[in-house]
Short mmCIF file of all heavy atoms in Angstrom, two decimals:
data_model
loop_
_atom_site.label_atom_id
_atom_site.label_comp_id
_atom_site.label_asym_id
_atom_site.label_seq_id
_atom_site.Cartn_x
_atom_site.Cartn_y
_atom_site.Cartn_z
N ASP A 853 -3.70 -18.21 15.15
CA ASP A 853 -2.55 -17.94 14.29
C ASP A 853 -2.40 -16.43 14.20
O ASP A 853 -3.31 -15.73 13.73
CB ASP A 853 -2.74 -18.52 12.89
CG ASP A 853 -2.73 -20.02 12.85
OD1 ASP A 853 -1.85 -20.62 13.49
OD2 ASP A 853 -3.61 -20.62 12.19
N LEU A 854 -1.24 -15.92 14.65
CA LEU A 854 -1.07 -14.48 14.70
C LEU A 854 0.43 -14.16 14.75
O LEU A 854 1.21 -14.92 15.32
CB LEU A 854 -1.76 -13.89 15.95
CG LEU A 854 -1.98 -12.38 16.02
CD1 LEU A 854 -2.85 -11.88 14.88
CD2 LEU A 854 -2.62 -12.01 17.36
N ASP A 855 0.83 -13.06 14.11
CA ASP A 855 2.21 -12.61 14.13
C ASP A 855 2.27 -11.15 14.53
O ASP A 855 1.34 -10.38 14.27
CB ASP A 855 2.85 -12.75 12.76
CG ASP A 855 3.03 -14.20 12.33
OD1 ASP A 855 4.07 -14.77 12.66
OD2 ASP A 855 2.11 -14.74 11.68
N VAL A 856 3.37 -10.76 15.18
CA VAL A 856 3.61 -9.39 15.53
C VAL A 856 5.04 -9.06 15.07
O VAL A 856 5.99 -9.73 15.47
CB VAL A 856 3.48 -9.13 17.04
CG1 VAL A 856 3.64 -7.64 17.34
CG2 VAL A 856 2.12 -9.63 17.55
N ALA A 857 5.18 -8.01 14.26
CA ALA A 857 6.50 -7.64 13.74
C ALA A 857 7.26 -6.83 14.77
O ALA A 857 6.67 -6.21 15.67
CB ALA A 857 6.33 -6.80 12.46
N SER A 858 8.56 -6.81 14.65
CA SER A 858 9.40 -6.00 15.52
C SER A 858 9.03 -4.54 15.36
O SER A 858 8.92 -4.02 14.25
CB SER A 858 10.88 -6.22 15.15
OG SER A 858 11.70 -5.43 15.96
N GLY A 859 8.78 -3.87 16.48
CA GLY A 859 8.41 -2.46 16.46
C GLY A 859 6.94 -2.19 16.21
O GLY A 859 6.51 -1.03 16.21
N GLU A 860 6.14 -3.23 16.03
CA GLU A 860 4.72 -3.07 15.75
C GLU A 860 3.92 -2.92 17.03
O GLU A 860 4.26 -3.48 18.09
CB GLU A 860 4.20 -4.29 14.98
CG GLU A 860 2.71 -4.19 14.62
CD GLU A 860 2.20 -5.38 13.84
OE1 GLU A 860 2.81 -6.47 13.92
OE2 GLU A 860 1.18 -5.22 13.15
N VAL A 861 2.81 -2.16 16.95
CA VAL A 861 1.82 -2.09 18.03
C VAL A 861 0.57 -2.81 17.53
O VAL A 861 -0.09 -2.34 16.60
CB VAL A 861 1.50 -0.62 18.39
CG1 VAL A 861 0.42 -0.60 19.50
CG2 VAL A 861 2.75 0.10 18.86
N LEU A 862 0.29 -3.95 18.15
CA LEU A 862 -0.91 -4.72 17.81
C LEU A 862 -1.91 -4.58 18.95
O LEU A 862 -1.59 -4.88 20.10
CB LEU A 862 -0.57 -6.20 17.61
CG LEU A 862 -1.77 -7.13 17.37
CD1 LEU A 862 -2.37 -6.89 15.99
CD2 LEU A 862 -1.39 -8.59 17.54
N CYS A 863 -3.11 -4.13 18.64
CA CYS A 863 -4.16 -3.99 19.63
C CYS A 863 -5.16 -5.13 19.50
O CYS A 863 -5.66 -5.39 18.39
CB CYS A 863 -4.88 -2.65 19.50
SG CYS A 863 -3.83 -1.23 19.92
N LEU A 864 -5.42 -5.81 20.61
CA LEU A 864 -6.42 -6.88 20.64
C LEU A 864 -7.71 -6.32 21.23
O LEU A 864 -7.72 -5.79 22.33
CB LEU A 864 -5.94 -8.04 21.52
CG LEU A 864 -4.72 -8.83 21.05
CD1 LEU A 864 -4.32 -9.85 22.12
CD2 LEU A 864 -5.01 -9.54 19.73
N ILE A 865 -8.78 -6.41 20.46
CA ILE A 865 -10.07 -5.93 20.92
C ILE A 865 -11.07 -7.07 20.86
O ILE A 865 -10.84 -8.09 20.20
CB ILE A 865 -10.56 -4.73 20.09
CG1 ILE A 865 -10.84 -5.15 18.64
CG2 ILE A 865 -9.55 -3.59 20.14
CD1 ILE A 865 -11.53 -4.06 17.80
N GLY A 866 -12.19 -6.88 21.53
CA GLY A 866 -13.23 -7.90 21.51
C GLY A 866 -13.98 -7.91 22.82
O GLY A 866 -13.56 -7.28 23.80
N PRO A 867 -15.12 -8.60 22.87
CA PRO A 867 -15.93 -8.63 24.11
C PRO A 867 -15.21 -9.34 25.23
O PRO A 867 -14.26 -10.13 25.03
CB PRO A 867 -17.18 -9.40 23.66
CG PRO A 867 -16.73 -10.23 22.51
CD PRO A 867 -15.70 -9.43 21.79
N SER A 868 -15.65 -9.08 26.45
CA SER A 868 -15.11 -9.78 27.62
C SER A 868 -15.31 -11.27 27.46
O SER A 868 -16.37 -11.72 26.98
CB SER A 868 -15.79 -9.29 28.89
OG SER A 868 -15.55 -7.91 29.09
N GLY A 869 -14.30 -12.05 27.84
CA GLY A 869 -14.40 -13.51 27.73
C GLY A 869 -14.03 -14.05 26.38
O GLY A 869 -14.19 -15.26 26.13
N SER A 870 -13.52 -13.21 25.48
CA SER A 870 -13.20 -13.68 24.13
C SER A 870 -11.81 -14.33 24.05
O SER A 870 -11.46 -14.89 23.01
CB SER A 870 -13.27 -12.53 23.13
OG SER A 870 -12.38 -11.48 23.49
N GLY A 871 -11.01 -14.25 25.13
CA GLY A 871 -9.70 -14.93 25.14
C GLY A 871 -8.52 -14.00 25.03
O GLY A 871 -7.37 -14.46 24.99
N LYS A 872 -8.75 -12.69 24.99
CA LYS A 872 -7.66 -11.74 24.78
C LYS A 872 -6.62 -11.80 25.89
O LYS A 872 -5.42 -11.92 25.61
CB LYS A 872 -8.23 -10.31 24.69
CG LYS A 872 -9.36 -10.11 23.68
CD LYS A 872 -9.82 -8.68 23.64
CE LYS A 872 -10.37 -8.13 24.94
NZ LYS A 872 -11.57 -8.84 25.43
N SER A 873 -7.07 -11.70 27.13
CA SER A 873 -6.12 -11.71 28.24
C SER A 873 -5.43 -13.06 28.37
O SER A 873 -4.23 -13.13 28.69
CB SER A 873 -6.83 -11.35 29.55
OG SER A 873 -7.29 -10.02 29.53
N THR A 874 -6.15 -14.14 28.12
CA THR A 874 -5.53 -15.46 28.18
C THR A 874 -4.43 -15.58 27.14
O THR A 874 -3.36 -16.16 27.41
CB THR A 874 -6.59 -16.55 27.95
OG1 THR A 874 -7.58 -16.49 28.99
CG2 THR A 874 -5.96 -17.96 27.96
N LEU A 875 -4.65 -15.02 25.96
CA LEU A 875 -3.61 -15.07 24.92
C LEU A 875 -2.37 -14.33 25.39
O LEU A 875 -1.25 -14.83 25.21
CB LEU A 875 -4.15 -14.45 23.62
CG LEU A 875 -3.24 -14.56 22.41
CD1 LEU A 875 -2.94 -16.01 22.07
CD2 LEU A 875 -3.87 -13.86 21.20
N LEU A 876 -2.52 -13.16 25.99
CA LEU A 876 -1.38 -12.43 26.51
C LEU A 876 -0.65 -13.25 27.57
O LEU A 876 0.59 -13.31 27.60
CB LEU A 876 -1.80 -11.11 27.15
CG LEU A 876 -2.03 -9.87 26.28
CD1 LEU A 876 -2.00 -8.62 27.16
CD2 LEU A 876 -1.03 -9.76 25.17
N ARG A 877 -1.41 -13.88 28.45
CA ARG A 877 -0.81 -14.65 29.54
C ARG A 877 -0.05 -15.86 28.99
O ARG A 877 0.94 -16.29 29.59
CB ARG A 877 -1.87 -15.07 30.54
CG ARG A 877 -2.46 -13.90 31.32
CD ARG A 877 -3.62 -14.32 32.20
NE ARG A 877 -3.21 -15.22 33.25
CZ ARG A 877 -2.71 -14.85 34.43
NH1 ARG A 877 -2.57 -13.56 34.71
NH2 ARG A 877 -2.37 -15.74 35.33
N CYS A 878 -0.48 -16.38 27.87
CA CYS A 878 0.25 -17.47 27.23
C CYS A 878 1.57 -16.99 26.65
O CYS A 878 2.59 -17.69 26.71
CB CYS A 878 -0.60 -18.12 26.14
SG CYS A 878 -1.97 -19.14 26.75
N VAL A 879 1.59 -15.77 26.10
CA VAL A 879 2.82 -15.22 25.55
C VAL A 879 3.86 -15.05 26.65
O VAL A 879 5.05 -15.27 26.46
CB VAL A 879 2.56 -13.87 24.84
CG1 VAL A 879 3.88 -13.24 24.40
CG2 VAL A 879 1.65 -14.07 23.64
N ASN A 880 3.41 -14.68 27.86
CA ASN A 880 4.31 -14.43 28.98
C ASN A 880 4.48 -15.66 29.89
O ASN A 880 5.06 -15.55 30.95
CB ASN A 880 3.81 -13.25 29.82
CG ASN A 880 4.90 -12.63 30.65
OD1 ASN A 880 6.07 -12.64 30.26
ND2 ASN A 880 4.56 -12.09 31.79
N LEU A 881 3.95 -16.80 29.47
CA LEU A 881 4.08 -18.06 30.19
C LEU A 881 3.40 -18.04 31.57
O LEU A 881 3.78 -18.81 32.46
CB LEU A 881 5.55 -18.45 30.37
CG LEU A 881 6.08 -19.52 29.43
CD1 LEU A 881 7.52 -19.87 29.78
CD2 LEU A 881 5.25 -20.79 29.51
N LEU A 882 2.42 -17.15 31.74
CA LEU A 882 1.61 -17.22 32.94
C LEU A 882 0.56 -18.32 32.80
O LEU A 882 -0.04 -18.74 33.80
CB LEU A 882 0.96 -15.87 33.21
CG LEU A 882 1.92 -14.74 33.52
CD1 LEU A 882 1.19 -13.40 33.65
CD2 LEU A 882 2.71 -15.04 34.81
N GLU A 883 0.31 -18.74 31.57
CA GLU A 883 -0.54 -19.90 31.28
C GLU A 883 0.20 -20.78 30.29
O GLU A 883 0.90 -20.27 29.41
CB GLU A 883 -1.89 -19.48 30.67
CG GLU A 883 -2.74 -18.59 31.54
CD GLU A 883 -3.35 -19.30 32.74
OE1 GLU A 883 -3.22 -20.54 32.82
OE2 GLU A 883 -3.92 -18.61 33.59
N ARG A 884 0.07 -22.07 30.44
CA ARG A 884 0.69 -23.04 29.54
C ARG A 884 -0.29 -23.39 28.41
O ARG A 884 -1.48 -23.57 28.62
CB ARG A 884 1.06 -24.32 30.28
CG ARG A 884 2.16 -24.11 31.32
CD ARG A 884 3.50 -24.24 30.68
NE ARG A 884 4.59 -24.21 31.66
CZ ARG A 884 5.85 -24.47 31.36
NH1 ARG A 884 6.18 -24.77 30.12
NH2 ARG A 884 6.77 -24.41 32.29
N LEU A 885 0.24 -23.51 27.20
CA LEU A 885 -0.58 -23.92 26.06
C LEU A 885 -0.97 -25.38 26.19
O LEU A 885 -0.22 -26.19 26.74
CB LEU A 885 0.19 -23.73 24.76
CG LEU A 885 0.77 -22.37 24.43
CD1 LEU A 885 1.38 -22.40 23.04
CD2 LEU A 885 -0.29 -21.31 24.53
N ASP A 886 -2.13 -25.71 25.63
CA ASP A 886 -2.51 -27.12 25.48
C ASP A 886 -1.94 -27.70 24.20
O ASP A 886 -1.56 -28.87 24.15
CB ASP A 886 -4.02 -27.27 25.49
CG ASP A 886 -4.63 -26.91 26.83
OD1 ASP A 886 -3.94 -27.05 27.86
OD2 ASP A 886 -5.78 -26.44 26.86
N SER A 887 -1.87 -26.90 23.15
CA SER A 887 -1.28 -27.33 21.89
C SER A 887 -0.93 -26.10 21.06
O SER A 887 -1.33 -24.98 21.38
CB SER A 887 -2.22 -28.24 21.10
OG SER A 887 -3.43 -27.57 20.76
N GLY A 888 -0.18 -26.34 19.98
CA GLY A 888 0.33 -25.23 19.18
C GLY A 888 1.61 -24.70 19.80
O GLY A 888 2.16 -25.28 20.74
N TYR A 889 2.07 -23.55 19.28
CA TYR A 889 3.28 -22.97 19.86
C TYR A 889 3.28 -21.46 19.69
O TYR A 889 2.58 -20.91 18.85
CB TYR A 889 4.54 -23.57 19.23
CG TYR A 889 4.82 -23.20 17.80
CD1 TYR A 889 5.43 -21.98 17.47
CD2 TYR A 889 4.48 -24.05 16.75
CE1 TYR A 889 5.68 -21.62 16.16
CE2 TYR A 889 4.73 -23.71 15.43
CZ TYR A 889 5.34 -22.50 15.14
OH TYR A 889 5.59 -22.16 13.83
N ILE A 890 4.09 -20.82 20.54
CA ILE A 890 4.38 -19.40 20.44
C ILE A 890 5.88 -19.25 20.45
O ILE A 890 6.59 -19.90 21.24
CB ILE A 890 3.76 -18.62 21.62
CG1 ILE A 890 2.24 -18.76 21.64
CG2 ILE A 890 4.13 -17.13 21.53
CD1 ILE A 890 1.57 -18.13 22.85
N LYS A 891 6.38 -18.39 19.57
CA LYS A 891 7.80 -18.04 19.58
C LYS A 891 7.93 -16.53 19.83
O LYS A 891 7.15 -15.74 19.33
CB LYS A 891 8.47 -18.35 18.24
CG LYS A 891 8.74 -19.81 17.99
CD LYS A 891 9.48 -19.96 16.65
CE LYS A 891 9.82 -21.40 16.33
NZ LYS A 891 10.57 -21.50 15.04
N VAL A 892 8.93 -16.16 20.60
CA VAL A 892 9.31 -14.76 20.80
C VAL A 892 10.77 -14.63 20.39
O VAL A 892 11.65 -15.29 20.97
CB VAL A 892 9.11 -14.30 22.25
CG1 VAL A 892 9.65 -12.89 22.43
CG2 VAL A 892 7.64 -14.36 22.63
N ASP A 893 11.02 -13.82 19.39
CA ASP A 893 12.37 -13.60 18.85
C ASP A 893 13.03 -14.94 18.51
O ASP A 893 14.22 -15.14 18.77
CB ASP A 893 13.22 -12.81 19.84
CG ASP A 893 14.43 -12.20 19.19
OD1 ASP A 893 14.43 -12.03 17.96
OD2 ASP A 893 15.40 -11.88 19.92
N GLY A 894 12.26 -15.85 17.92
CA GLY A 894 12.78 -17.11 17.45
C GLY A 894 12.85 -18.22 18.49
O GLY A 894 13.13 -19.37 18.13
#
């Protein structure tokens, strides 16, 4: 569960393998979600 406001810079940090890059790839539809949802600009 995470939100990013318009104009915000959100930095994702954490150890390798923690899911950071996968989360980005889900936002850009390079990976499909198994469940839940992501919205971009509604």
Side-chain angles (χ1 to χ4, degrees):
D853 291 314
L854 194 60
D855 293 271
V856 184
S858 179
E860 180 179 23
V861 178
L862 175 71
C863 292
L864 295 175
I865 66 171
S868 298
S870 59
K872 307 181 300 298
S873 294
T874 299
L875 186 60
L876 276 199
R877 292 174 66 85
C878 287
V879 174
N880 201 30
L881 258 183
L882 295 175
E883 299 289 352
R884 293 274 187 171
L885 304 185
D886 293 332
S887 61
Y889 70 81
I890 299 174
K891 285 183 179 182
V892 174
D893 198 20

